[in-house]
Amino acid sequence: MDLRSDSVVIIPMYNEKENAAAIIDAVLALPLRFDVLVVDDNSPDGTAQIVKGKIDEYPGRVHLIERAGKLGLGTAYIEGFRFALDHGYEYIFEMDADFSHNPQDLLKLHKAVASGEMDVAVGSRYLTGVNVVNWPMGRVLMSYFASKYVRAITGLKVADTTAGFCCYRAEVLRTMELDKIRFKGYAFQIEMKFTAARCGFRVGEVPIIFVNRVLGTSKMSSGIFSEAFFGVIRLKIDSFSRKYPQKSK
């Protein structure tokens, strides 16, 4: 019997020894079968060794890509997407390692895409108000109004444009020319949604509650926000002259 999953959860990690084992266990314990792919950027705290222990514990269900150093969130996901497509996964997820995204919500994202309702399902903090727990107010406001700004510039009909908790149908990633995705931080998440929509795919949202990390250290920086602020303008301008490949009928 072939018990291989059609779903893989990509989890980039850098210095996540406090969370690595627990987040993998939580995803693999769900009633729907998900595989896990960790992309580790040479964490000096031994994160990769913990993941290798889980590879031994769950044969065939946990995978690891080890990279030479910190190369950016966007490039980590692009490598993960290519792995997922090469290995035949149909539903491909982005998820943080620190439990800010509830693993149980993977089931809701999967249902939204597998049912045919959406091609890209976004775990949205802002679809039904502001559903963020334990973030400083300044950061909540910055994130919320960043999404408002992105919507105004790009025309995206997505309330949480910078969300990093998503499910993609494999066809979306095969179509959208991953080698042309250029941004690495927050702007990467915006560019992925914008490009998917321009390629004719349905980008929808599922409400979630986002909880700030309890263990480990945040990887956010002011440079990430500046990339997003200026990047969306460039993204919109470039879109006027770019021909986007289209979803097959």
Side-chain angles (χ1 to χ4, degrees):
M1 183 185 296
D2 183 9
L3 295 178
R4 191 177 158 284
S5 176
D6 63 358
S7 302
V8 62
V9 182
I10 303 171
I11 309 178
M13 293 191 187
Y14 183 77
N15 285 351
E16 291 288 356
K17 68 178 182 181
E18 298 93 344
N19 296 305
I23 195 69
I24 292 170
D25 288 341
V27 172
L28 297 188
L30 292 169
L32 189 65
R33 178 169 170 142
F34 295 89
D35 291 347
V36 171
L37 168 62
V38 172
V39 183
D40 180 74
D41 275 1
N42 196 27
S43 301
D45 71 347
T47 294
Q49 289 306 120
I50 295 170
V51 176
K52 288 174 182 176
K54 292 298 173 182
I55 290 174
D56 293 337
E57 185 177 346
Y58 301 102
R61 297 196 61 191
V62 181
H63 309 280
L64 173 65
I65 295 175
E66 293 183 89
R67 307 202 303 170
K70 291 187 73 173
L71 302 174
L73 182 71
T75 62
Y77 273 126
I78 295 296
E79 285 200 42
F81 293 156
R82 294 193 190 286
F83 176 98
L85 293 175
D86 288 345
H87 287 77
Y89 289 102
E90 178 60 25
Y91 305 104
I92 301 163
F93 298 76
E94 298 178 351
M95 184 179 182
D96 289 350
D98 60 7
F99 285 93
S100 55
H101 302 141
N102 185 343
Q104 291 288 335
D105 288 333
L106 289 166
L107 301 171
K108 296 196 295 187
L109 296 179
H110 182 276
K111 182 179 179 181
V113 176
S115 68
E117 180 184 354
M118 306 171 190
D119 298 306
V120 181
V122 177
S124 178
R125 298 163 290 186
Y126 307 130
L127 185 63
T128 57
V130 179
N131 294 312
V132 176
V133 178
N134 293 337
W135 253 12
M137 183 54 67
R139 189 165 168 190
V140 173
L141 292 172
M142 183 179 293
S143 174
Y144 179 76
F145 285 108
S147 276
K148 291 280 191 184
Y149 164 78
V150 171
R151 289 186 70 178
I153 298 295
T154 64
L156 264 176
K157 293 178 171 59
V158 175
D160 194 353
T161 55
T162 61
F165 192 28
C166 306
C167 173
Y168 294 87
R169 191 186 306 280
E171 181 193 358
V172 178
L173 301 177
R174 282 195 296 266
T175 301
M176 62 191 294
E177 300 177 321
L178 293 175
D179 57 324
K180 293 186 179 179
I181 300 295
R182 67 166 69 96
F183 296 119
K184 295 183 179 180
Y186 253 17
F188 166 80
Q189 300 294 0
I190 299 162
E191 186 175 9
M192 288 294 295
K193 297 173 186 67
F194 180 80
T195 305
R198 282 302 181 106
C199 291
F201 292 101
R202 294 160 297 172
V203 181
E205 294 178 274
V206 174
I208 65 160
I209 296 174
F210 179 96
V211 180
N212 194 28
R213 70 161 63 234
V214 174
L215 300 174
T217 305
S218 173
K219 313 305 186 296
M220 297 293 291
S221 71
S222 58
I224 287 175
F225 284 103
S226 64
E227 180 196 48
F229 184 86
F230 295 108
V232 291
I233 298 172
R234 201 166 124 210
L235 195 61
K236 181 65 174 180
I237 292 171
D238 289 351
S239 72
F240 294 131
S241 58
R242 179 178 168 187
K243 184 175 175 59
Y244 293 87
Q246 292 299 296
K247 174 184 179 180
S248 58
K249 301 296 184 183

